[in-house]
Amino acid sequence: MPQPPQSSRKPASRWRASAYKVFYALPKVVRRRLVRIVAPTYTVGAVMMVYSPDRSQILLLRQPPGFGWGLPAGLLDRGERPEQAAIRELREETGIDLGLEAISPAAPSAVIHTRGRWVDTVFVTEVEPDSVELVIDGAEVWEAKWWPVTAMPPITVAASRLLAHYGLGPYADYPEAARVD
């Protein structure tokens, strides 16, 4: 009977073997801290793409510093799930209050920005524009407005790159612009 192939093992250098021995001898809390210092960390946010039911309009926000329009979005709180953060941010920024059943993950459901070191988890929903009153606070959000997907206002660079992944916005026809570096 033939023997299954054996995995080959490359001998570790003495330095590397010693470093691992020392590392694993450290208390777990110290090891975790060292990994967080050495390894790249990412901030995680949740983004909501809110369309009209016929997908002809999208909800955009103008926020400080006001150099363009963007999507309802924000950072996850500690222990918060991305879909909960997306719903919370939409409610805080626009007054639209949805349940989990009303949203779904976009495709792709996450966009990784390696140069900025953040991850956007992206969700979509449909809301009839005439059925909701947009409520903004005037501080975090200056304006909220429904725009035709074919005639959007000036969009922030970050939102433009994100929207390009979904074939929307000013970079939709430039796949290299959607690159998330």
Side-chain angles (χ1 to χ4, degrees), residues 23-90:
F23 178 78
Y24 284 107
L26 295 171
K28 188 175 184 177
V29 68
V30 173
R31 290 195 319 256
R32 184 177 298 129
R33 183 60 136 162
L34 286 172
V35 167
R36 288 188 177 153
I37 289 170
V38 174
T41 58
Y42 284 79
T43 302
V44 180
V47 179
M48 186 71 81
M49 294 173 52
V50 184
Y51 291 102
S52 61
D54 64 1
R55 298 267 174 135
S56 67
Q57 296 179 71
I58 189 166
L59 180 64
L60 297 175
L61 310 177
R62 196 167 67 86
Q63 299 176 284
F67 299 128
W69 292 74
L71 298 162
L75 299 177
L76 274 64
D77 291 335
R78 185 175 291 279
E80 187 176 34
R81 293 177 42 188
E83 59 272 21
Q84 293 168 326
I87 289 171
R88 175 182 51 77
E89 287 294 336
L90 182 65

Side-chain angles (χ1 to χ4, degrees), residues 129-144:
D130 296 332
S131 72
V132 294
E133 178 186 355
L134 299 175
V135 179
I136 59 168
D137 64 9
E140 182 182 2
V141 176
W142 291 346
E143 289 182 79

Side-chain angles (χ1 to χ4, degrees), residues 21 27 50 66 96 101 107 116 165:
K21 221 178 249 187
V50 184
I96 298 174
E101 72 286 346
H165 287 277

